[in-house]
Each structure stands twice: as C-alpha cells, then as structure tokens.
Amino acid sequence: MTSIQYLKGVGPKRAILLNKLEIYSPFDLLEHFPVRWQDRRLSQIKENIPYIEKPFVFRGKVVSVRDMYTAGTLRIFKAIISSEDKEIEAFWFKRHTPKYDVFAKLRKDIRPGETIWITGKPEDPIFSTKIRVDEYCLDTDEKEKKLSMATLVPLYSLTEGLNQKLMRKIMHAAISAYASKTTDLLPPEITAKRAFMPYELAVRYLHFPQNPLNLKEARKRFIYEEFFLMTLAWAIKRRQTKTINKGHKYKIRKHLLSQFKKKLGFEFTKSQKIAINKIFSDMMSRSPMTRLLEGDVGSGKTVVAMSALLLAAENKYQGVFIAPTEILAEQHFMTFEKFLGDLPLKFELLTARITGKRKKEIIEKVRKGEIDVLIGTHSLLEESVKFKNLKMIVIDEQHRFGVRQRAALRRKGENADILIMTATPIPRTLFLALYGDLDLSVLRDMPPGRKQVCTFSVDEKTAFEETKKELFKGRQAYIVYPVIEESDDGELRSVKSEFEKVTRLFPDFKTGMLHGQMKPSIKKGIMEDFLKGKIRILVSTPVVEVGIDVPNASVMVINNAERFGLASLHQLRGRIGRGEHESKCFLVCGQMSPQARERTNIMCTLSNGFEISEKDVYMRGAGEVMGLRQHGEMRFKIADIYSDSSLLKLAMEDKDEIIKKDPNLQRREHAPLKNKLFKLYQEKWNIIDLS
C-alpha cells in the first residue's frame, strides 16, 4: 500500500505527524472524516444543522495595514478592511521570534487595495467590528477560496504541527488521486436498496460538499457503513463463540451456594432468580458464556455474580472479579468477607497498592490454584498474574474496560465464562449494537426494603440543616465534594478544605474523611467504622459512588452538583435508601449552565435508572454515557448511536440478511466487506476470526 509520505504536499516529516492520527496511507486519509463543518458562504441565512457552524465571514478591500508591538514578545498585525456597507479591524496575533519575521507572509498578501476573505472571532459579537482572524484567503486565489472560503469547509481533528488549511490541501490531493481507486465495501444490493451515494462521490462530498444536501447524503452513507461494520462484526463474533467447545463442565452441588443463600438473610428477587438460572444454564452449556448483567443501582448485581463464582469454586475452578477502581475492589472484598467469610472459600484482593512480599505471595498462590477467587483492579491484567485453572471471569462497571482488556483477561483462562456487569441501563437498540456478541440479563426489580430517595436542589445551609435533623434521628450521612484538593480557580470545593468546616458544623457527631489517595488500610478502617456506625458523617470524594452499602445512611449532600453527570449523580444517590429509613439527597449547586440545570431537574423528578440513562444518552450522546464512544478503544469516526438511531436500525436489518445468506462472507461481492472487517476487527482488535 502507498505510504502517505508520497502524497503530494506531505513528505517524510509531515507523514510522521499524520501517523500520530493513525494515517499511514492515502486511503487512511480519505477516512479521516471531518469532526464538523463551517458554512463560510457570505449568505446570512443560518440553517439549523447541528454539525454545520456559521462563523463570522467577511469579504472586503484592505484599506490600511499596521504592525503593533506589545511590551512582551507578542506582535500584532492589524488591517482595516472595508466592504460596501461595513468596515472592520482585523487582527493577527503571533509570538516574536528572532529567527524570522513572523508577519512576512501577511505583509506580502495583505496590502492596501487587495480584496480578501477572512473568518474569525468577533471581540464585540454584537457589532462585529473587531475580528481576531483564524484564516484568510486572497480573493484572486481561486483554488484556496474553493477549499477554505465561500463554501462549506471541513474541520478535522489534528495534532501539533498540522493546521486546518494544510489538512484540507492534502485531503484534496488524496481525493483527486485515490477516491476513484477505492473499492466500495458496501454490497451493490445494499447501495441500491438504501439509495446510498457510491463511495467515490460520497467521500468527495463528505470532505468538500457543495451544499448541505450533498453533505447530508454523504454523512448518511458513512454513518450507515460504520454501524453496518460494527453490527456485522458482533454477529460474526457471537456465532463463532457459540461454535466453540469450551472443554470444561459444571455440576450444581449447592454446598457453597446453599450456605451463601442462608447467610444472605433475604430471598433473591424474581429477576435475580431468573438471571442466576440463565447464568448457570450458560455455564453448563458447551460454549463459553458471554453475558451482560444489567441492573439499576442497588438491584443486587453483586450477589448474582457471587453465585456464579461460587458455582465455579464448587467445581474446583478459579474465578476472578475485576473492578475499575481500588475502592470499589476493596468494597467488593469486604462484601465477600461479610457473606462468604465463614465458607470454605479462599479469596484474596490484589490492587496496585498491594506490593512487595504480599503481592508475590498472592500471585504465587493464584498460580498454584490455592486461591479460588481473586478480586482486584487492572492489576489482575499484569503478565505476572497467572492462574492454574481460571474458568469464571466477572467484570464490574464494564464501560471502564476496553475490548483489549476483556480479551487479555480471557486469555488467562482458556475459553473462560465471562459475566459483565453494568449499572448503566442500556436501551435495547444500543445493547444490540454495542454488545451484539453478548446475551443479556436485566435486574428490573429491587430487593425488599429498598426505599425511593427524594432529591432536592437546595443551598448548603438548607442541606446541612436537613442533614442535622436526620443525624439526631440516629441516621448517617454522606457529604460529597468533587475533588481532593482545592482547584486553582477556586470554583470546586474540596474534601480536605471542607472537612474541618463540616466537623465544626456538626460537633455532636463523629466525622470521617475518605478519598482515593489514602492508604488501603486507612480507607478500609474508615469504611468499616462508617458501616458499624462509629462514624456518623462521611466526607468524601465521588469514590463512594459505587460499592459502599450502609443501610443506616439516609442522607447525601452532593456539593458542586452542577459539575457531575447524570450517571454519577444517580450512582452517588444510590448509596442511600438501602435500609428501612426514608432517604433524602440534596444537590448543592454553584453557577449552573442550562445543561447543568436540566440535569438537576431530571435528578429531582426521576428516580428510575433506566429513565435517567435515556435522558443521559439524549443529552451527552451514547458514546459518552457508555464511557467509550464505542467499546473502549474503538471509536466511531462520524456516527452517533443515539442521534443516528434510524440508520443503526437499517444497518442491523441488513446485517441479518447478509449473515443469513452468506455467514462466512465467501461470496465475491462481499470480498471488500470481508477485507475491511479483517483490517478493523481482526488485525487491529483481534476479536473475530476471518481466516
């Protein structure tokens, strides 16, 4: 394949910069899609198209120019530009360097009498008479004007050393030389059925559209293509997984499971029973389990996962329980101690904070098979951690782990069963798209005794007064601050700076502090004291948003709540309402943007995690909510699962037809599709086998 360095306008040095953007050939460059477009036509009509901006654009004759100096190294080039009905001052800012004249090119191009185009940021948005220039173009430079002014102009993600004007020039060169040489990967029947533009025309219009309609049709074609490739890959992956004979079997002996159920002290909910039965059925099938367990905060996912790990242990297999943060892993370990501590089960905790001799001892025991369940964080992915007989993998908070990490864990246990958990409810269409290789179990009902939490947006004084009332009733409280240390701008309150104030305001109650920088032994002691009621107020960072279960805690105060996303707010709120007492959550906000105000209103009116997740997806986009854009490292270039959901549904329909007719993509017309899937999902991500 032709190296990008041989494309006109690139060369070896610029090729190195393009490589940083994963652009190695002209064909890679063609699919480096714009992140947005600017309408730099002079028309003042502003169409409401979310991916097209309407910046300030001006065409006029240069009246005068002038160099201006500052006391420091900043140099300013100023031009007075006039049109028939308006006159503006245009400014260029650069840092002085003794090596060369930073304004030499500007002096050559921008001379009195020349007609030029500029686009930039008005310093006075109302009258737009002073403009800080982003780009300019001479009216006589037809080629540059065609690419950068008087048209719809693409804007790309860049790296240091590249600019938008240069990227447009080399993109235009790539399209001119290579667009016609690229094979369309979409089968002809799909292109005809969905009335898509052919690849060559679509790639030209995507980068350099002549009008919004051109752009809309080109985007539609490439959005569909991304969805189609992804859903097809997951369908192939799922089919391949189902054909594997995992080579190990389970029998339900109920020795550990019966003792565990007895120690729980409560009955499983209906949905927990259904999920456990499905998981056990998967584990006893001939092919490896790959199941997603989805449930709202407090729905009891952990005890379902523990049941699966106990079944593995009863059959003399090892299990692993991986969590994204140390405090969550430590909390899971404490839960194991609480419910499984008296059982003949050997389990250990391994995180980055466990080092030296202790770490070596744990790793050696795991290697020998002397540990039944290993609980930990990313530390479990280290090469040194080897298992004797790993067959059951539980991954908590799945959106914090990428495909590569999931694959790395599975390699530690040949054909191991995998249970992935999420507290972020996923709409069904998104699930089928993002996790089409997984089966799904949903915990829709709550364990007995769970109380609905009432949420209020109040000032700090009111929040603390209400907290004090609950404390005098014998309850406990969380007071959450967004950061550990004071921020430079002083806008965010910190745990360390506010802890003493909280202690003074609540002199009758013991207060504890918790954050992620503490030593594990100290954190564990504080959490245990809070659980036992010795600490009545826990002043903490958001590390408590997952894992901590204190039934007597009935109050939560979240400071700077405007800085938290819906998912985090809902997770934090889920720490209360776990006992028999009515619970209250108080959101204390600073200056709020319209989006922050909307999030606050949602939190005060909704309590169901599924409904909140739908709102979150709508506000932030599916990629941000899932924490990934798409499966950790794999990112969509142009598609958005929520806003482009209609195209996603079409792609899923067509995927089913293709798989039904040609499951191994052996037909000649599917060769380009198979090659693309190989490059993306086998060669790069190693998740399917198309050999």
PDB file of all heavy atoms in Angstrom, residues 319-338:
ATOM      1  N   GLY A 319     -11.948 -18.289  39.905  1.00  0.00           N
ATOM      2  CA  GLY A 319     -12.708 -17.163  39.391  1.00  0.00           C
ATOM      3  C   GLY A 319     -11.980 -15.866  39.644  1.00  0.00           C
ATOM      4  O   GLY A 319     -11.102 -15.777  40.511  1.00  0.00           O
ATOM      5  N   VAL A 320     -12.338 -14.849  38.886  1.00  0.00           N
ATOM      6  CA  VAL A 320     -11.749 -13.528  39.064  1.00  0.00           C
ATOM      7  C   VAL A 320     -12.868 -12.497  39.033  1.00  0.00           C
ATOM      8  O   VAL A 320     -13.847 -12.640  38.297  1.00  0.00           O
ATOM      9  CB  VAL A 320     -10.683 -13.246  37.976  1.00  0.00           C
ATOM     10  CG1 VAL A 320     -11.304 -13.144  36.610  1.00  0.00           C
ATOM     11  CG2 VAL A 320      -9.902 -11.977  38.287  1.00  0.00           C
ATOM     12  N   PHE A 321     -12.738 -11.478  39.867  1.00  0.00           N
ATOM     13  CA  PHE A 321     -13.730 -10.396  39.963  1.00  0.00           C
ATOM     14  C   PHE A 321     -12.965  -9.089  39.827  1.00  0.00           C
ATOM     15  O   PHE A 321     -12.270  -8.674  40.740  1.00  0.00           O
ATOM     16  CB  PHE A 321     -14.442 -10.475  41.320  1.00  0.00           C
ATOM     17  CG  PHE A 321     -15.710  -9.663  41.414  1.00  0.00           C
ATOM     18  CD1 PHE A 321     -16.896 -10.249  41.842  1.00  0.00           C
ATOM     19  CD2 PHE A 321     -15.736  -8.318  41.091  1.00  0.00           C
ATOM     20  CE1 PHE A 321     -18.072  -9.519  41.958  1.00  0.00           C
ATOM     21  CE2 PHE A 321     -16.901  -7.577  41.195  1.00  0.00           C
ATOM     22  CZ  PHE A 321     -18.068  -8.182  41.630  1.00  0.00           C
ATOM     23  N   ILE A 322     -13.065  -8.454  38.662  1.00  0.00           N
ATOM     24  CA  ILE A 322     -12.279  -7.257  38.391  1.00  0.00           C
ATOM     25  C   ILE A 322     -13.158  -6.011  38.411  1.00  0.00           C
ATOM     26  O   ILE A 322     -14.258  -5.997  37.852  1.00  0.00           O
ATOM     27  CB  ILE A 322     -11.522  -7.377  37.044  1.00  0.00           C
ATOM     28  CG1 ILE A 322     -10.588  -6.174  36.841  1.00  0.00           C
ATOM     29  CG2 ILE A 322     -12.461  -7.563  35.877  1.00  0.00           C
ATOM     30  CD1 ILE A 322      -9.611  -6.357  35.694  1.00  0.00           C
ATOM     31  N   ALA A 323     -12.682  -4.977  39.107  1.00  0.00           N
ATOM     32  CA  ALA A 323     -13.398  -3.706  39.239  1.00  0.00           C
ATOM     33  C   ALA A 323     -12.491  -2.571  38.747  1.00  0.00           C
ATOM     34  O   ALA A 323     -11.268  -2.704  38.767  1.00  0.00           O
ATOM     35  CB  ALA A 323     -13.802  -3.475  40.695  1.00  0.00           C
ATOM     36  N   PRO A 324     -13.067  -1.437  38.332  1.00  0.00           N
ATOM     37  CA  PRO A 324     -12.257  -0.378  37.725  1.00  0.00           C
ATOM     38  C   PRO A 324     -11.460   0.480  38.706  1.00  0.00           C
ATOM     39  O   PRO A 324     -10.503   1.127  38.316  1.00  0.00           O
ATOM     40  CB  PRO A 324     -13.295   0.472  36.988  1.00  0.00           C
ATOM     41  CG  PRO A 324     -14.563   0.245  37.739  1.00  0.00           C
ATOM     42  CD  PRO A 324     -14.505  -1.166  38.225  1.00  0.00           C
ATOM     43  N   THR A 325     -11.854   0.517  39.981  1.00  0.00           N
ATOM     44  CA  THR A 325     -11.148   1.357  40.950  1.00  0.00           C
ATOM     45  C   THR A 325     -10.784   0.542  42.179  1.00  0.00           C
ATOM     46  O   THR A 325     -11.422  -0.466  42.492  1.00  0.00           O
ATOM     47  CB  THR A 325     -12.018   2.550  41.391  1.00  0.00           C
ATOM     48  OG1 THR A 325     -13.162   2.059  42.113  1.00  0.00           O
ATOM     49  CG2 THR A 325     -12.477   3.376  40.200  1.00  0.00           C
ATOM     50  N   GLU A 326      -9.757   1.014  42.885  1.00  0.00           N
ATOM     51  CA  GLU A 326      -9.308   0.304  44.076  1.00  0.00           C
ATOM     52  C   GLU A 326     -10.365   0.308  45.170  1.00  0.00           C
ATOM     53  O   GLU A 326     -10.594  -0.706  45.833  1.00  0.00           O
ATOM     54  CB  GLU A 326      -8.011   0.935  44.585  1.00  0.00           C
ATOM     55  CG  GLU A 326      -6.835   0.664  43.667  1.00  0.00           C
ATOM     56  CD  GLU A 326      -5.529   1.155  44.234  1.00  0.00           C
ATOM     57  OE1 GLU A 326      -5.543   1.821  45.283  1.00  0.00           O
ATOM     58  OE2 GLU A 326      -4.482   0.857  43.641  1.00  0.00           O
ATOM     59  N   ILE A 327     -11.029   1.430  45.353  1.00  0.00           N
ATOM     60  CA  ILE A 327     -12.007   1.499  46.438  1.00  0.00           C
ATOM     61  C   ILE A 327     -13.195   0.583  46.160  1.00  0.00           C
ATOM     62  O   ILE A 327     -13.755  -0.027  47.084  1.00  0.00           O
ATOM     63  CB  ILE A 327     -12.472   2.954  46.692  1.00  0.00           C
ATOM     64  CG1 ILE A 327     -13.115   3.047  48.074  1.00  0.00           C
ATOM     65  CG2 ILE A 327     -13.392   3.461  45.611  1.00  0.00           C
ATOM     66  CD1 ILE A 327     -13.204   4.441  48.619  1.00  0.00           C
ATOM     67  N   LEU A 328     -13.567   0.420  44.883  1.00  0.00           N
ATOM     68  CA  LEU A 328     -14.652  -0.492  44.554  1.00  0.00           C
ATOM     69  C   LEU A 328     -14.200  -1.943  44.735  1.00  0.00           C
ATOM     70  O   LEU A 328     -14.945  -2.771  45.277  1.00  0.00           O
ATOM     71  CB  LEU A 328     -15.132  -0.268  43.120  1.00  0.00           C
ATOM     72  CG  LEU A 328     -16.272  -1.162  42.628  1.00  0.00           C
ATOM     73  CD1 LEU A 328     -17.448  -1.142  43.589  1.00  0.00           C
ATOM     74  CD2 LEU A 328     -16.711  -0.755  41.228  1.00  0.00           C
ATOM     75  N   ALA A 329     -12.961  -2.235  44.326  1.00  0.00           N
ATOM     76  CA  ALA A 329     -12.432  -3.590  44.527  1.00  0.00           C
ATOM     77  C   ALA A 329     -12.357  -3.914  46.020  1.00  0.00           C
ATOM     78  O   ALA A 329     -12.700  -5.027  46.450  1.00  0.00           O
ATOM     79  CB  ALA A 329     -11.051  -3.704  43.890  1.00  0.00           C
ATOM     80  N   GLU A 330     -11.923  -2.931  46.819  1.00  0.00           N
ATOM     81  CA  GLU A 330     -11.838  -3.138  48.269  1.00  0.00           C
ATOM     82  C   GLU A 330     -13.223  -3.354  48.875  1.00  0.00           C
ATOM     83  O   GLU A 330     -13.402  -4.181  49.779  1.00  0.00           O
ATOM     84  CB  GLU A 330     -11.152  -1.932  48.913  1.00  0.00           C
ATOM     85  CG  GLU A 330      -9.658  -1.856  48.590  1.00  0.00           C
ATOM     86  CD  GLU A 330      -9.081  -0.469  48.787  1.00  0.00           C
ATOM     87  OE1 GLU A 330      -9.815   0.439  49.253  1.00  0.00           O
ATOM     88  OE2 GLU A 330      -7.900  -0.265  48.460  1.00  0.00           O
ATOM     89  N   GLN A 331     -14.216  -2.615  48.369  1.00  0.00           N
ATOM     90  CA  GLN A 331     -15.580  -2.785  48.878  1.00  0.00           C
ATOM     91  C   GLN A 331     -16.131  -4.165  48.513  1.00  0.00           C
ATOM     92  O   GLN A 331     -16.794  -4.819  49.321  1.00  0.00           O
ATOM     93  CB  GLN A 331     -16.487  -1.686  48.318  1.00  0.00           C
ATOM     94  CG  GLN A 331     -17.934  -1.774  48.779  1.00  0.00           C
ATOM     95  CD  GLN A 331     -18.085  -1.575  50.280  1.00  0.00           C
ATOM     96  OE1 GLN A 331     -17.264  -0.898  50.893  1.00  0.00           O
ATOM     97  NE2 GLN A 331     -19.107  -2.162  50.871  1.00  0.00           N
ATOM     98  N   HIS A 332     -15.841  -4.604  47.286  1.00  0.00           N
ATOM     99  CA  HIS A 332     -16.258  -5.956  46.898  1.00  0.00           C
ATOM    100  C   HIS A 332     -15.602  -7.000  47.806  1.00  0.00           C
ATOM    101  O   HIS A 332     -16.243  -7.983  48.203  1.00  0.00           O
ATOM    102  CB  HIS A 332     -15.891  -6.234  45.440  1.00  0.00           C
ATOM    103  CG  HIS A 332     -16.819  -5.599  44.447  1.00  0.00           C
ATOM    104  ND1 HIS A 332     -18.186  -5.651  44.587  1.00  0.00           N
ATOM    105  CD2 HIS A 332     -16.588  -4.909  43.310  1.00  0.00           C
ATOM    106  CE1 HIS A 332     -18.754  -5.019  43.571  1.00  0.00           C
ATOM    107  NE2 HIS A 332     -17.800  -4.559  42.784  1.00  0.00           N
ATOM    108  N   PHE A 333     -14.339  -6.784  48.138  1.00  0.00           N
ATOM    109  CA  PHE A 333     -13.629  -7.712  49.017  1.00  0.00           C
ATOM    110  C   PHE A 333     -14.300  -7.766  50.391  1.00  0.00           C
ATOM    111  O   PHE A 333     -14.479  -8.841  50.976  1.00  0.00           O
ATOM    112  CB  PHE A 333     -12.169  -7.282  49.154  1.00  0.00           C
ATOM    113  CG  PHE A 333     -11.333  -8.216  49.984  1.00  0.00           C
ATOM    114  CD1 PHE A 333     -10.986  -9.471  49.514  1.00  0.00           C
ATOM    115  CD2 PHE A 333     -10.903  -7.838  51.252  1.00  0.00           C
ATOM    116  CE1 PHE A 333     -10.216 -10.342  50.285  1.00  0.00           C
ATOM    117  CE2 PHE A 333     -10.140  -8.688  52.028  1.00  0.00           C
ATOM    118  CZ  PHE A 333      -9.801  -9.955  51.541  1.00  0.00           C
ATOM    119  N   MET A 334     -14.708  -6.593  50.884  1.00  0.00           N
ATOM    120  CA  MET A 334     -15.406  -6.544  52.167  1.00  0.00           C
ATOM    121  C   MET A 334     -16.757  -7.259  52.078  1.00  0.00           C
ATOM    122  O   MET A 334     -17.189  -7.916  53.037  1.00  0.00           O
ATOM    123  CB  MET A 334     -15.604  -5.080  52.597  1.00  0.00           C
ATOM    124  CG  MET A 334     -14.307  -4.382  53.016  1.00  0.00           C
ATOM    125  SD  MET A 334     -14.517  -2.595  53.266  1.00  0.00           S
ATOM    126  CE  MET A 334     -15.676  -2.564  54.618  1.00  0.00           C
ATOM    127  N   THR A 335     -17.430  -7.152  50.925  1.00  0.00           N
ATOM    128  CA  THR A 335     -18.701  -7.849  50.741  1.00  0.00           C
ATOM    129  C   THR A 335     -18.482  -9.360  50.755  1.00  0.00           C
ATOM    130  O   THR A 335     -19.277 -10.114  51.335  1.00  0.00           O
ATOM    131  CB  THR A 335     -19.362  -7.413  49.417  1.00  0.00           C
ATOM    132  OG1 THR A 335     -19.525  -5.993  49.418  1.00  0.00           O
ATOM    133  CG2 THR A 335     -20.719  -8.065  49.233  1.00  0.00           C
ATOM    134  N   PHE A 336     -17.397  -9.798  50.122  1.00  0.00           N
ATOM    135  CA  PHE A 336     -17.050 -11.221  50.161  1.00  0.00           C
ATOM    136  C   PHE A 336     -16.810 -11.664  51.603  1.00  0.00           C
ATOM    137  O   PHE A 336     -17.262 -12.740  52.024  1.00  0.00           O
ATOM    138  CB  PHE A 336     -15.801 -11.481  49.317  1.00  0.00           C
ATOM    139  CG  PHE A 336     -16.085 -11.815  47.886  1.00  0.00           C
ATOM    140  CD1 PHE A 336     -16.628 -10.863  47.030  1.00  0.00           C
ATOM    141  CD2 PHE A 336     -15.823 -13.071  47.383  1.00  0.00           C
ATOM    142  CE1 PHE A 336     -16.895 -11.151  45.710  1.00  0.00           C
ATOM    143  CE2 PHE A 336     -16.092 -13.390  46.059  1.00  0.00           C
ATOM    144  CZ  PHE A 336     -16.634 -12.421  45.212  1.00  0.00           C
ATOM    145  N   GLU A 337     -16.077 -10.843  52.360  1.00  0.00           N
ATOM    146  CA  GLU A 337     -15.812 -11.188  53.763  1.00  0.00           C
ATOM    147  C   GLU A 337     -17.102 -11.280  54.563  1.00  0.00           C
ATOM    148  O   GLU A 337     -17.269 -12.159  55.412  1.00  0.00           O
ATOM    149  CB  GLU A 337     -14.881 -10.147  54.390  1.00  0.00           C
ATOM    150  CG  GLU A 337     -13.438 -10.239  53.918  1.00  0.00           C
ATOM    151  CD  GLU A 337     -12.545  -9.235  54.626  1.00  0.00           C
ATOM    152  OE1 GLU A 337     -13.004  -8.091  54.860  1.00  0.00           O
ATOM    153  OE2 GLU A 337     -11.396  -9.574  54.946  1.00  0.00           O
ATOM    154  N   LYS A 338     -18.048 -10.378  54.263  1.00  0.00           N
ATOM    155  CA  LYS A 338     -19.304 -10.327  55.005  1.00  0.00           C
ATOM    156  C   LYS A 338     -20.155 -11.570  54.736  1.00  0.00           C
ATOM    157  O   LYS A 338     -20.696 -12.181  55.678  1.00  0.00           O
ATOM    158  CB  LYS A 338     -20.078  -9.064  54.601  1.00  0.00           C
ATOM    159  CG  LYS A 338     -21.444  -8.932  55.255  1.00  0.00           C
ATOM    160  CD  LYS A 338     -22.151  -7.661  54.773  1.00  0.00           C
ATOM    161  CE  LYS A 338     -23.549  -7.545  55.355  1.00  0.00           C
ATOM    162  NZ  LYS A 338     -24.256  -6.329  54.846  1.00  0.00           N
TER     163      LYS A 338
END
